[in-house]
Amino acid sequence: MRTIISATALLLLSACGSSSDTTTPAAAATKIYKLGETASAKGLDFTVTKVDQRSLLGAGGEGFKAEPGETFVVVYYTLKNTAGEALTLMDRPSISLTDATGHSFIKDDAGSMMEGGMMKDPSGMASDLNPGVAAKTAAAWKVSKAAYESGQWNIVVDTNPTLTFKLK
């Protein structure tokens, strides 16, 4: 009995060591997509179609105005449900605007609704997506104008896998 316990202990301890001939695969590099490219993730296709930088959101001067030194970044995108079941509004992936350091910026919800509501078909802002159905929508962020104009910016979509689109 003592021999069995000793042999088992040695077997378990030998499994704890590392072998010099095993290799760990390198992490796959994250693909950075360009404007207009469609990226696929589990259950959806995502395309950033257009990016605008401006000081006013809304039509005819009736919307939100950026203060001096600020700018709005408006991203227009298409989201298509490629899964076999409906994608509810609450289950849509979140999207973030990030700078070159990876800092994530908070979306301007009111500005996003205003921009999405001005689109030809504003239903993409608030509708569930049945399988095979796509929606066009928009998101807006207010950021430092100097930082936006001088840096690299991305849109990051919280999907599996994470999708990253280079804006500038």
Side-chain angles (χ1 to χ4, degrees), residues 50-57 66 70-76 97 105-108 111-112 115 138-145 147-149 153-155 167-168:
K50 181 180 167 185
V51 178
D52 281 342
Q53 176 192 357
R54 56 181 191 256
S55 60
L56 182 67
L57 296 181
E70 299 174 341
T71 190
F72 288 105
V73 178
V74 183
V75 176
Y76 299 90
L97 178 69
F105 291 78
I106 297 172
K107 186 169 51 170
D108 183 323
S112 295
E115 285 301 308
W141 291 263
K142 189 189 316 184
V143 299
S144 161
K145 185 174 184 176
Y148 185 75
E149 290 177 347
W153 293 77
N154 297 311
I155 288 294
L167 300 185
K168 57 178 289 190

PDB file of all heavy atoms in Angstrom, residues 50-57 66 70-76 97 105-108 111-112 115 138-145 147-149 153-155 167-168:
ATOM      1  N   LYS A  50     -18.871  54.587 -42.198  1.00  0.00           N
ATOM      2  CA  LYS A  50     -18.500  56.000 -42.329  1.00  0.00           C
ATOM      3  C   LYS A  50     -18.144  56.569 -40.963  1.00  0.00           C
ATOM      4  O   LYS A  50     -18.693  56.145 -39.952  1.00  0.00           O
ATOM      5  CB  LYS A  50     -19.695  56.763 -42.916  1.00  0.00           C
ATOM      6  CG  LYS A  50     -19.495  58.232 -43.148  1.00  0.00           C
ATOM      7  CD  LYS A  50     -20.775  58.823 -43.742  1.00  0.00           C
ATOM      8  CE  LYS A  50     -20.765  60.321 -43.713  1.00  0.00           C
ATOM      9  NZ  LYS A  50     -22.033  60.898 -44.174  1.00  0.00           N
ATOM     10  N   VAL A  51     -17.236  57.541 -40.958  1.00  0.00           N
ATOM     11  CA  VAL A  51     -16.878  58.251 -39.727  1.00  0.00           C
ATOM     12  C   VAL A  51     -16.881  59.744 -40.030  1.00  0.00           C
ATOM     13  O   VAL A  51     -16.323  60.183 -41.034  1.00  0.00           O
ATOM     14  CB  VAL A  51     -15.477  57.837 -39.223  1.00  0.00           C
ATOM     15  CG1 VAL A  51     -15.111  58.618 -37.971  1.00  0.00           C
ATOM     16  CG2 VAL A  51     -15.417  56.355 -38.959  1.00  0.00           C
ATOM     17  N   ASP A  52     -17.526  60.512 -39.176  1.00  0.00           N
ATOM     18  CA  ASP A  52     -17.542  61.976 -39.300  1.00  0.00           C
ATOM     19  C   ASP A  52     -16.970  62.589 -38.037  1.00  0.00           C
ATOM     20  O   ASP A  52     -17.213  62.098 -36.929  1.00  0.00           O
ATOM     21  CB  ASP A  52     -18.968  62.509 -39.459  1.00  0.00           C
ATOM     22  CG  ASP A  52     -19.522  62.349 -40.855  1.00  0.00           C
ATOM     23  OD1 ASP A  52     -18.745  62.139 -41.797  1.00  0.00           O
ATOM     24  OD2 ASP A  52     -20.763  62.424 -40.990  1.00  0.00           O
ATOM     25  N   GLN A  53     -16.265  63.687 -38.219  1.00  0.00           N
ATOM     26  CA  GLN A  53     -15.824  64.513 -37.098  1.00  0.00           C
ATOM     27  C   GLN A  53     -16.473  65.867 -37.298  1.00  0.00           C
ATOM     28  O   GLN A  53     -16.335  66.474 -38.355  1.00  0.00           O
ATOM     29  CB  GLN A  53     -14.305  64.662 -37.089  1.00  0.00           C
ATOM     30  CG  GLN A  53     -13.824  65.588 -35.995  1.00  0.00           C
ATOM     31  CD  GLN A  53     -12.364  65.982 -36.133  1.00  0.00           C
ATOM     32  OE1 GLN A  53     -11.671  65.528 -37.034  1.00  0.00           O
ATOM     33  NE2 GLN A  53     -11.899  66.830 -35.244  1.00  0.00           N
ATOM     34  N   ARG A  54     -17.190  66.342 -36.281  1.00  0.00           N
ATOM     35  CA  ARG A  54     -17.845  67.641 -36.429  1.00  0.00           C
ATOM     36  C   ARG A  54     -18.174  68.262 -35.083  1.00  0.00           C
ATOM     37  O   ARG A  54     -18.132  67.613 -34.052  1.00  0.00           O
ATOM     38  CB  ARG A  54     -19.073  67.525 -37.318  1.00  0.00           C
ATOM     39  CG  ARG A  54     -20.089  66.538 -36.899  1.00  0.00           C
ATOM     40  CD  ARG A  54     -21.216  66.558 -37.939  1.00  0.00           C
ATOM     41  NE  ARG A  54     -22.338  65.824 -37.501  1.00  0.00           N
ATOM     42  CZ  ARG A  54     -22.671  64.626 -37.936  1.00  0.00           C
ATOM     43  NH1 ARG A  54     -21.936  64.032 -38.835  1.00  0.00           N
ATOM     44  NH2 ARG A  54     -23.748  64.024 -37.496  1.00  0.00           N
ATOM     45  N   SER A  55     -18.557  69.528 -35.142  1.00  0.00           N
ATOM     46  CA  SER A  55     -18.815  70.265 -33.903  1.00  0.00           C
ATOM     47  C   SER A  55     -20.297  70.324 -33.541  1.00  0.00           C
ATOM     48  O   SER A  55     -20.635  70.804 -32.462  1.00  0.00           O
ATOM     49  CB  SER A  55     -18.267  71.690 -34.027  1.00  0.00           C
ATOM     50  OG  SER A  55     -18.898  72.351 -35.103  1.00  0.00           O
ATOM     51  N   LEU A  56     -21.170  69.835 -34.439  1.00  0.00           N
ATOM     52  CA  LEU A  56     -22.606  69.914 -34.199  1.00  0.00           C
ATOM     53  C   LEU A  56     -23.269  68.595 -34.562  1.00  0.00           C
ATOM     54  O   LEU A  56     -22.977  68.009 -35.603  1.00  0.00           O
ATOM     55  CB  LEU A  56     -23.207  71.043 -35.042  1.00  0.00           C
ATOM     56  CG  LEU A  56     -24.692  71.315 -34.906  1.00  0.00           C
ATOM     57  CD1 LEU A  56     -25.025  71.847 -33.510  1.00  0.00           C
ATOM     58  CD2 LEU A  56     -25.146  72.305 -35.967  1.00  0.00           C
ATOM     59  N   LEU A  57     -24.155  68.125 -33.697  1.00  0.00           N
ATOM     60  CA  LEU A  57     -24.978  66.951 -33.987  1.00  0.00           C
ATOM     61  C   LEU A  57     -26.403  67.420 -34.210  1.00  0.00           C
ATOM     62  O   LEU A  57     -26.876  68.327 -33.543  1.00  0.00           O
ATOM     63  CB  LEU A  57     -24.959  65.955 -32.823  1.00  0.00           C
ATOM     64  CG  LEU A  57     -23.631  65.307 -32.478  1.00  0.00           C
ATOM     65  CD1 LEU A  57     -23.808  64.342 -31.311  1.00  0.00           C
ATOM     66  CD2 LEU A  57     -23.046  64.584 -33.672  1.00  0.00           C
ATOM     67  N   ALA A  66     -20.602  71.007 -29.715  1.00  0.00           N
ATOM     68  CA  ALA A  66     -19.374  70.775 -28.953  1.00  0.00           C
ATOM     69  C   ALA A  66     -18.817  72.115 -28.483  1.00  0.00           C
ATOM     70  O   ALA A  66     -18.902  73.126 -29.183  1.00  0.00           O
ATOM     71  CB  ALA A  66     -18.349  70.052 -29.816  1.00  0.00           C
ATOM     72  N   GLU A  70     -13.455  70.773 -28.181  1.00  0.00           N
ATOM     73  CA  GLU A  70     -14.100  69.454 -28.237  1.00  0.00           C
ATOM     74  C   GLU A  70     -14.585  69.172 -29.648  1.00  0.00           C
ATOM     75  O   GLU A  70     -14.748  70.097 -30.452  1.00  0.00           O
ATOM     76  CB  GLU A  70     -15.309  69.403 -27.293  1.00  0.00           C
ATOM     77  CG  GLU A  70     -14.976  69.637 -25.844  1.00  0.00           C
ATOM     78  CD  GLU A  70     -16.217  69.727 -24.962  1.00  0.00           C
ATOM     79  OE1 GLU A  70     -17.335  69.956 -25.477  1.00  0.00           O
ATOM     80  OE2 GLU A  70     -16.052  69.579 -23.744  1.00  0.00           O
ATOM     81  N   THR A  71     -14.835  67.907 -29.933  1.00  0.00           N
ATOM     82  CA  THR A  71     -15.399  67.513 -31.212  1.00  0.00           C
ATOM     83  C   THR A  71     -16.255  66.272 -31.019  1.00  0.00           C
ATOM     84  O   THR A  71     -16.055  65.519 -30.057  1.00  0.00           O
ATOM     85  CB  THR A  71     -14.305  67.251 -32.274  1.00  0.00           C
ATOM     86  OG1 THR A  71     -14.911  67.107 -33.559  1.00  0.00           O
ATOM     87  CG2 THR A  71     -13.483  66.014 -31.953  1.00  0.00           C
ATOM     88  N   PHE A  72     -17.210  66.086 -31.909  1.00  0.00           N
ATOM     89  CA  PHE A  72     -17.984  64.852 -31.920  1.00  0.00           C
ATOM     90  C   PHE A  72     -17.383  63.920 -32.969  1.00  0.00           C
ATOM     91  O   PHE A  72     -17.044  64.350 -34.071  1.00  0.00           O
ATOM     92  CB  PHE A  72     -19.451  65.115 -32.282  1.00  0.00           C
ATOM     93  CG  PHE A  72     -20.231  65.796 -31.194  1.00  0.00           C
ATOM     94  CD1 PHE A  72     -20.554  67.132 -31.302  1.00  0.00           C
ATOM     95  CD2 PHE A  72     -20.652  65.082 -30.074  1.00  0.00           C
ATOM     96  CE1 PHE A  72     -21.286  67.768 -30.307  1.00  0.00           C
ATOM     97  CE2 PHE A  72     -21.380  65.709 -29.072  1.00  0.00           C
ATOM     98  CZ  PHE A  72     -21.703  67.047 -29.182  1.00  0.00           C
ATOM     99  N   VAL A  73     -17.269  62.663 -32.617  1.00  0.00           N
ATOM    100  CA  VAL A  73     -16.885  61.620 -33.553  1.00  0.00           C
ATOM    101  C   VAL A  73     -18.129  60.764 -33.741  1.00  0.00           C
ATOM    102  O   VAL A  73     -18.651  60.191 -32.772  1.00  0.00           O
ATOM    103  CB  VAL A  73     -15.714  60.761 -33.025  1.00  0.00           C
ATOM    104  CG1 VAL A  73     -15.376  59.648 -34.001  1.00  0.00           C
ATOM    105  CG2 VAL A  73     -14.497  61.645 -32.755  1.00  0.00           C
ATOM    106  N   VAL A  74     -18.635  60.703 -34.965  1.00  0.00           N
ATOM    107  CA  VAL A  74     -19.854  59.949 -35.257  1.00  0.00           C
ATOM    108  C   VAL A  74     -19.473  58.778 -36.157  1.00  0.00           C
ATOM    109  O   VAL A  74     -18.859  58.966 -37.207  1.00  0.00           O
ATOM    110  CB  VAL A  74     -20.918  60.827 -35.945  1.00  0.00           C
ATOM    111  CG1 VAL A  74     -22.197  60.026 -36.176  1.00  0.00           C
ATOM    112  CG2 VAL A  74     -21.200  62.074 -35.122  1.00  0.00           C
ATOM    113  N   VAL A  75     -19.824  57.586 -35.721  1.00  0.00           N
ATOM    114  CA  VAL A  75     -19.511  56.362 -36.458  1.00  0.00           C
ATOM    115  C   VAL A  75     -20.817  55.739 -36.924  1.00  0.00           C
ATOM    116  O   VAL A  75     -21.722  55.496 -36.123  1.00  0.00           O
ATOM    117  CB  VAL A  75     -18.731  55.372 -35.558  1.00  0.00           C
ATOM    118  CG1 VAL A  75     -18.497  54.059 -36.273  1.00  0.00           C
ATOM    119  CG2 VAL A  75     -17.419  55.994 -35.105  1.00  0.00           C
ATOM    120  N   TYR A  76     -20.906  55.521 -38.218  1.00  0.00           N
ATOM    121  CA  TYR A  76     -22.061  54.862 -38.819  1.00  0.00           C
ATOM    122  C   TYR A  76     -21.667  53.414 -39.105  1.00  0.00           C
ATOM    123  O   TYR A  76     -20.583  53.162 -39.623  1.00  0.00           O
ATOM    124  CB  TYR A  76     -22.470  55.563 -40.111  1.00  0.00           C
ATOM    125  CG  TYR A  76     -22.868  57.001 -39.882  1.00  0.00           C
ATOM    126  CD1 TYR A  76     -21.926  58.025 -39.948  1.00  0.00           C
ATOM    127  CD2 TYR A  76     -24.184  57.329 -39.567  1.00  0.00           C
ATOM    128  CE1 TYR A  76     -22.285  59.347 -39.715  1.00  0.00           C
ATOM    129  CE2 TYR A  76     -24.548  58.649 -39.333  1.00  0.00           C
ATOM    130  CZ  TYR A  76     -23.595  59.650 -39.410  1.00  0.00           C
ATOM    131  OH  TYR A  76     -23.954  60.950 -39.174  1.00  0.00           O
ATOM    132  N   LEU A  97     -15.087  53.546 -28.497  1.00  0.00           N
ATOM    133  CA  LEU A  97     -14.094  54.347 -29.209  1.00  0.00           C
ATOM    134  C   LEU A  97     -12.843  54.317 -28.353  1.00  0.00           C
ATOM    135  O   LEU A  97     -12.906  54.608 -27.150  1.00  0.00           O
ATOM    136  CB  LEU A  97     -14.595  55.783 -29.372  1.00  0.00           C
ATOM    137  CG  LEU A  97     -13.645  56.766 -30.048  1.00  0.00           C
ATOM    138  CD1 LEU A  97     -13.478  56.423 -31.532  1.00  0.00           C
ATOM    139  CD2 LEU A  97     -14.155  58.193 -29.893  1.00  0.00           C
ATOM    140  N   PHE A 105     -13.472  55.405 -24.506  1.00  0.00           N
ATOM    141  CA  PHE A 105     -14.254  56.610 -24.247  1.00  0.00           C
ATOM    142  C   PHE A 105     -15.736  56.275 -24.146  1.00  0.00           C
ATOM    143  O   PHE A 105     -16.228  55.373 -24.825  1.00  0.00           O
ATOM    144  CB  PHE A 105     -14.010  57.656 -25.341  1.00  0.00           C
ATOM    145  CG  PHE A 105     -12.626  58.228 -25.281  1.00  0.00           C
ATOM    146  CD1 PHE A 105     -11.549  57.521 -25.780  1.00  0.00           C
ATOM    147  CD2 PHE A 105     -12.401  59.448 -24.681  1.00  0.00           C
ATOM    148  CE1 PHE A 105     -10.264  58.021 -25.697  1.00  0.00           C
ATOM    149  CE2 PHE A 105     -11.115  59.963 -24.586  1.00  0.00           C
ATOM    150  CZ  PHE A 105     -10.048  59.247 -25.098  1.00  0.00           C
ATOM    151  N   ILE A 106     -16.455  57.018 -23.314  1.00  0.00           N
ATOM    152  CA  ILE A 106     -17.873  56.794 -23.077  1.00  0.00           C
ATOM    153  C   ILE A 106     -18.681  57.391 -24.227  1.00  0.00           C
ATOM    154  O   ILE A 106     -18.485  58.543 -24.614  1.00  0.00           O
ATOM    155  CB  ILE A 106     -18.307  57.421 -21.739  1.00  0.00           C
ATOM    156  CG1 ILE A 106     -17.565  56.736 -20.594  1.00  0.00           C
ATOM    157  CG2 ILE A 106     -19.812  57.325 -21.545  1.00  0.00           C
ATOM    158  CD1 ILE A 106     -17.761  57.401 -19.251  1.00  0.00           C
ATOM    159  N   LYS A 107     -19.601  56.591 -24.737  1.00  0.00           N
ATOM    160  CA  LYS A 107     -20.464  57.019 -25.839  1.00  0.00           C
ATOM    161  C   LYS A 107     -21.438  58.082 -25.346  1.00  0.00           C
ATOM    162  O   LYS A 107     -21.912  58.035 -24.211  1.00  0.00           O
ATOM    163  CB  LYS A 107     -21.205  55.792 -26.379  1.00  0.00           C
ATOM    164  CG  LYS A 107     -22.023  56.055 -27.610  1.00  0.00           C
ATOM    165  CD  LYS A 107     -22.532  54.790 -28.275  1.00  0.00           C
ATOM    166  CE  LYS A 107     -23.220  53.866 -27.336  1.00  0.00           C
ATOM    167  NZ  LYS A 107     -23.904  52.762 -28.001  1.00  0.00           N
ATOM    168  N   ASP A 108     -21.740  59.038 -26.200  1.00  0.00           N
ATOM    169  CA  ASP A 108     -22.728  60.071 -25.920  1.00  0.00           C
ATOM    170  C   ASP A 108     -24.085  59.499 -26.348  1.00  0.00           C
ATOM    171  O   ASP A 108     -24.421  59.488 -27.533  1.00  0.00           O
ATOM    172  CB  ASP A 108     -22.381  61.339 -26.708  1.00  0.00           C
ATOM    173  CG  ASP A 108     -23.311  62.500 -26.417  1.00  0.00           C
ATOM    174  OD1 ASP A 108     -24.527  62.278 -26.223  1.00  0.00           O
ATOM    175  OD2 ASP A 108     -22.827  63.638 -26.407  1.00  0.00           O
ATOM    176  N   GLY A 111     -26.518  61.992 -28.083  1.00  0.00           N
ATOM    177  CA  GLY A 111     -26.008  62.307 -29.419  1.00  0.00           C
ATOM    178  C   GLY A 111     -26.143  61.132 -30.366  1.00  0.00           C
ATOM    179  O   GLY A 111     -26.463  61.307 -31.548  1.00  0.00           O
ATOM    180  N   SER A 112     -25.923  59.943 -29.865  1.00  0.00           N
ATOM    181  CA  SER A 112     -26.064  58.738 -30.688  1.00  0.00           C
ATOM    182  C   SER A 112     -27.511  58.571 -31.145  1.00  0.00           C
ATOM    183  O   SER A 112     -27.772  58.251 -32.318  1.00  0.00           O
ATOM    184  CB  SER A 112     -25.622  57.498 -29.906  1.00  0.00           C
ATOM    185  OG  SER A 112     -24.250  57.556 -29.606  1.00  0.00           O
ATOM    186  N   GLU A 115     -28.289  61.217 -33.864  1.00  0.00           N
ATOM    187  CA  GLU A 115     -27.716  60.871 -35.168  1.00  0.00           C
ATOM    188  C   GLU A 115     -28.419  59.671 -35.790  1.00  0.00           C
ATOM    189  O   GLU A 115     -28.696  59.654 -36.979  1.00  0.00           O
ATOM    190  CB  GLU A 115     -26.218  60.597 -35.043  1.00  0.00           C
ATOM    191  CG  GLU A 115     -25.400  61.847 -34.877  1.00  0.00           C
ATOM    192  CD  GLU A 115     -25.571  62.821 -36.031  1.00  0.00           C
ATOM    193  OE1 GLU A 115     -25.407  62.426 -37.206  1.00  0.00           O
ATOM    194  OE2 GLU A 115     -25.863  63.997 -35.764  1.00  0.00           O
ATOM    195  N   ALA A 138     -25.981  54.422 -35.822  1.00  0.00           N
ATOM    196  CA  ALA A 138     -24.878  55.354 -35.586  1.00  0.00           C
ATOM    197  C   ALA A 138     -24.591  55.456 -34.093  1.00  0.00           C
ATOM    198  O   ALA A 138     -25.450  55.181 -33.263  1.00  0.00           O
ATOM    199  CB  ALA A 138     -25.231  56.743 -36.129  1.00  0.00           C
ATOM    200  N   ALA A 139     -23.370  55.839 -33.787  1.00  0.00           N
ATOM    201  CA  ALA A 139     -22.965  56.098 -32.404  1.00  0.00           C
ATOM    202  C   ALA A 139     -22.092  57.352 -32.406  1.00  0.00           C
ATOM    203  O   ALA A 139     -21.365  57.603 -33.369  1.00  0.00           O
ATOM    204  CB  ALA A 139     -22.197  54.911 -31.833  1.00  0.00           C
ATOM    205  N   ALA A 140     -22.181  58.132 -31.334  1.00  0.00           N
ATOM    206  CA  ALA A 140     -21.427  59.386 -31.255  1.00  0.00           C
ATOM    207  C   ALA A 140     -20.683  59.489 -29.927  1.00  0.00           C
ATOM    208  O   ALA A 140     -21.171  59.015 -28.896  1.00  0.00           O
ATOM    209  CB  ALA A 140     -22.378  60.582 -31.407  1.00  0.00           C
ATOM    210  N   TRP A 141     -19.522  60.110 -29.984  1.00  0.00           N
ATOM    211  CA  TRP A 141     -18.703  60.369 -28.793  1.00  0.00           C
ATOM    212  C   TRP A 141     -18.248  61.818 -28.846  1.00  0.00           C
ATOM    213  O   TRP A 141     -17.971  62.355 -29.926  1.00  0.00           O
ATOM    214  CB  TRP A 141     -17.448  59.494 -28.790  1.00  0.00           C
ATOM    215  CG  TRP A 141     -17.705  58.045 -28.574  1.00  0.00           C
ATOM    216  CD1 TRP A 141     -17.620  57.372 -27.385  1.00  0.00           C
ATOM    217  CD2 TRP A 141     -18.049  57.066 -29.545  1.00  0.00           C
ATOM    218  NE1 TRP A 141     -17.905  56.049 -27.573  1.00  0.00           N
ATOM    219  CE2 TRP A 141     -18.171  55.827 -28.893  1.00  0.00           C
ATOM    220  CE3 TRP A 141     -18.289  57.105 -30.932  1.00  0.00           C
ATOM    221  CZ2 TRP A 141     -18.508  54.648 -29.553  1.00  0.00           C
ATOM    222  CZ3 TRP A 141     -18.628  55.939 -31.594  1.00  0.00           C
ATOM    223  CH2 TRP A 141     -18.734  54.725 -30.898  1.00  0.00           C
ATOM    224  N   LYS A 142     -18.152  62.470 -27.685  1.00  0.00           N
ATOM    225  CA  LYS A 142     -17.561  63.811 -27.602  1.00  0.00           C
ATOM    226  C   LYS A 142     -16.185  63.646 -26.974  1.00  0.00           C
ATOM    227  O   LYS A 142     -16.061  63.094 -25.877  1.00  0.00           O
ATOM    228  CB  LYS A 142     -18.407  64.755 -26.764  1.00  0.00           C
ATOM    229  CG  LYS A 142     -17.905  66.189 -26.864  1.00  0.00           C
ATOM    230  CD  LYS A 142     -18.521  67.186 -25.906  1.00  0.00           C
ATOM    231  CE  LYS A 142     -19.969  67.138 -25.706  1.00  0.00           C
ATOM    232  NZ  LYS A 142     -20.457  68.218 -24.810  1.00  0.00           N
ATOM    233  N   VAL A 143     -15.144  64.089 -27.699  1.00  0.00           N
ATOM    234  CA  VAL A 143     -13.760  63.934 -27.232  1.00  0.00           C
ATOM    235  C   VAL A 143     -12.990  65.230 -27.455  1.00  0.00           C
ATOM    236  O   VAL A 143     -13.480  66.161 -28.109  1.00  0.00           O
ATOM    237  CB  VAL A 143     -13.051  62.767 -27.974  1.00  0.00           C
ATOM    238  CG1 VAL A 143     -13.754  61.445 -27.709  1.00  0.00           C
ATOM    239  CG2 VAL A 143     -12.944  63.030 -29.466  1.00  0.00           C
ATOM    240  N   SER A 144     -11.778  65.256 -26.951  1.00  0.00           N
ATOM    241  CA  SER A 144     -10.887  66.397 -27.170  1.00  0.00           C
ATOM    242  C   SER A 144     -10.555  66.495 -28.660  1.00  0.00           C
ATOM    243  O   SER A 144     -10.118  65.521 -29.270  1.00  0.00           O
ATOM    244  CB  SER A 144      -9.600  66.208 -26.366  1.00  0.00           C
ATOM    245  OG  SER A 144      -8.569  67.025 -26.875  1.00  0.00           O
ATOM    246  N   LYS A 145     -10.756  67.672 -29.230  1.00  0.00           N
ATOM    247  CA  LYS A 145     -10.495  67.869 -30.654  1.00  0.00           C
ATOM    248  C   LYS A 145      -9.012  67.682 -30.970  1.00  0.00           C
ATOM    249  O   LYS A 145      -8.652  67.021 -31.941  1.00  0.00           O
ATOM    250  CB  LYS A 145     -10.952  69.272 -31.079  1.00  0.00           C
ATOM    251  CG  LYS A 145     -10.828  69.524 -32.553  1.00  0.00           C
ATOM    252  CD  LYS A 145     -11.423  70.871 -32.942  1.00  0.00           C
ATOM    253  CE  LYS A 145     -11.371  71.041 -34.443  1.00  0.00           C
ATOM    254  NZ  LYS A 145     -12.029  72.284 -34.857  1.00  0.00           N
ATOM    255  N   ALA A 147      -6.766  65.919 -29.339  1.00  0.00           N
ATOM    256  CA  ALA A 147      -6.387  64.508 -29.207  1.00  0.00           C
ATOM    257  C   ALA A 147      -6.879  63.709 -30.400  1.00  0.00           C
ATOM    258  O   ALA A 147      -6.144  62.874 -30.949  1.00  0.00           O
ATOM    259  CB  ALA A 147      -6.951  63.929 -27.911  1.00  0.00           C
ATOM    260  N   TYR A 148      -8.108  63.956 -30.841  1.00  0.00           N
ATOM    261  CA  TYR A 148      -8.646  63.204 -31.971  1.00  0.00           C
ATOM    262  C   TYR A 148      -7.865  63.502 -33.251  1.00  0.00           C
ATOM    263  O   TYR A 148      -7.542  62.597 -34.007  1.00  0.00           O
ATOM    264  CB  TYR A 148     -10.135  63.490 -32.184  1.00  0.00           C
ATOM    265  CG  TYR A 148     -10.710  62.621 -33.278  1.00  0.00           C
ATOM    266  CD1 TYR A 148     -10.973  61.273 -33.046  1.00  0.00           C
ATOM    267  CD2 TYR A 148     -10.957  63.133 -34.552  1.00  0.00           C
ATOM    268  CE1 TYR A 148     -11.470  60.456 -34.053  1.00  0.00           C
ATOM    269  CE2 TYR A 148     -11.459  62.325 -35.558  1.00  0.00           C
ATOM    270  CZ  TYR A 148     -11.709  60.990 -35.306  1.00  0.00           C
ATOM    271  OH  TYR A 148     -12.193  60.185 -36.314  1.00  0.00           O
ATOM    272  N   GLU A 149      -7.558  64.761 -33.469  1.00  0.00           N
ATOM    273  CA  GLU A 149      -6.877  65.134 -34.711  1.00  0.00           C
ATOM    274  C   GLU A 149      -5.428  64.674 -34.747  1.00  0.00           C
ATOM    275  O   GLU A 149      -4.853  64.544 -35.822  1.00  0.00           O
ATOM    276  CB  GLU A 149      -6.985  66.642 -34.923  1.00  0.00           C
ATOM    277  CG  GLU A 149      -8.406  67.055 -35.256  1.00  0.00           C
ATOM    278  CD  GLU A 149      -8.597  68.547 -35.405  1.00  0.00           C
ATOM    279  OE1 GLU A 149      -7.691  69.325 -35.019  1.00  0.00           O
ATOM    280  OE2 GLU A 149      -9.669  68.941 -35.891  1.00  0.00           O
ATOM    281  N   TRP A 153      -7.226  56.297 -33.773  1.00  0.00           N
ATOM    282  CA  TRP A 153      -8.456  55.949 -33.070  1.00  0.00           C
ATOM    283  C   TRP A 153      -9.063  54.692 -33.681  1.00  0.00           C
ATOM    284  O   TRP A 153      -8.975  54.473 -34.892  1.00  0.00           O
ATOM    285  CB  TRP A 153      -9.432  57.112 -33.133  1.00  0.00           C
ATOM    286  CG  TRP A 153      -8.940  58.293 -32.352  1.00  0.00           C
ATOM    287  CD1 TRP A 153      -7.971  59.176 -32.733  1.00  0.00           C
ATOM    288  CD2 TRP A 153      -9.343  58.684 -31.056  1.00  0.00           C
ATOM    289  NE1 TRP A 153      -7.762  60.097 -31.747  1.00  0.00           N
ATOM    290  CE2 TRP A 153      -8.606  59.820 -30.702  1.00  0.00           C
ATOM    291  CE3 TRP A 153     -10.269  58.195 -30.152  1.00  0.00           C
ATOM    292  CZ2 TRP A 153      -8.755  60.469 -29.486  1.00  0.00           C
ATOM    293  CZ3 TRP A 153     -10.434  58.840 -28.943  1.00  0.00           C
ATOM    294  CH2 TRP A 153      -9.676  59.973 -28.620  1.00  0.00           C
ATOM    295  N   ASN A 154      -9.709  53.896 -32.835  1.00  0.00           N
ATOM    296  CA  ASN A 154     -10.327  52.656 -33.266  1.00  0.00           C
ATOM    297  C   ASN A 154     -11.727  52.524 -32.683  1.00  0.00           C
ATOM    298  O   ASN A 154     -12.035  53.112 -31.648  1.00  0.00           O
ATOM    299  CB  ASN A 154      -9.517  51.442 -32.778  1.00  0.00           C
ATOM    300  CG  ASN A 154      -8.131  51.392 -33.368  1.00  0.00           C
ATOM    301  OD1 ASN A 154      -7.946  51.529 -34.564  1.00  0.00           O
ATOM    302  ND2 ASN A 154      -7.137  51.192 -32.518  1.00  0.00           N
ATOM    303  N   ILE A 155     -12.517  51.702 -33.351  1.00  0.00           N
ATOM    304  CA  ILE A 155     -13.782  51.230 -32.790  1.00  0.00           C
ATOM    305  C   ILE A 155     -13.552  49.781 -32.402  1.00  0.00           C
ATOM    306  O   ILE A 155     -13.054  48.989 -33.204  1.00  0.00           O
ATOM    307  CB  ILE A 155     -14.927  51.334 -33.823  1.00  0.00           C
ATOM    308  CG1 ILE A 155     -15.313  52.783 -34.037  1.00  0.00           C
ATOM    309  CG2 ILE A 155     -16.143  50.515 -33.389  1.00  0.00           C
ATOM    310  CD1 ILE A 155     -15.929  53.468 -32.823  1.00  0.00           C
ATOM    311  N   LEU A 167     -10.138  53.810 -37.378  1.00  0.00           N
ATOM    312  CA  LEU A 167     -10.843  54.990 -37.886  1.00  0.00           C
ATOM    313  C   LEU A 167      -9.897  55.962 -38.544  1.00  0.00           C
ATOM    314  O   LEU A 167     -10.197  56.582 -39.543  1.00  0.00           O
ATOM    315  CB  LEU A 167     -11.583  55.695 -36.756  1.00  0.00           C
ATOM    316  CG  LEU A 167     -12.646  54.887 -36.028  1.00  0.00           C
ATOM    317  CD1 LEU A 167     -13.379  55.772 -35.020  1.00  0.00           C
ATOM    318  CD2 LEU A 167     -13.600  54.227 -36.982  1.00  0.00           C
ATOM    319  N   LYS A 168      -8.722  56.146 -37.922  1.00  0.00           N
ATOM    320  CA  LYS A 168      -7.720  57.059 -38.469  1.00  0.00           C
ATOM    321  C   LYS A 168      -6.375  56.715 -37.908  1.00  0.00           C
ATOM    322  O   LYS A 168      -6.233  56.001 -36.977  1.00  0.00           O
ATOM    323  CB  LYS A 168      -8.064  58.514 -38.215  1.00  0.00           C
ATOM    324  CG  LYS A 168      -8.259  58.917 -36.760  1.00  0.00           C
ATOM    325  CD  LYS A 168      -8.542  60.371 -36.598  1.00  0.00           C
ATOM    326  CE  LYS A 168      -7.294  61.119 -36.892  1.00  0.00           C
ATOM    327  NZ  LYS A 168      -7.076  62.408 -36.692  1.00  0.00           N
TER     328      LYS A 168
END
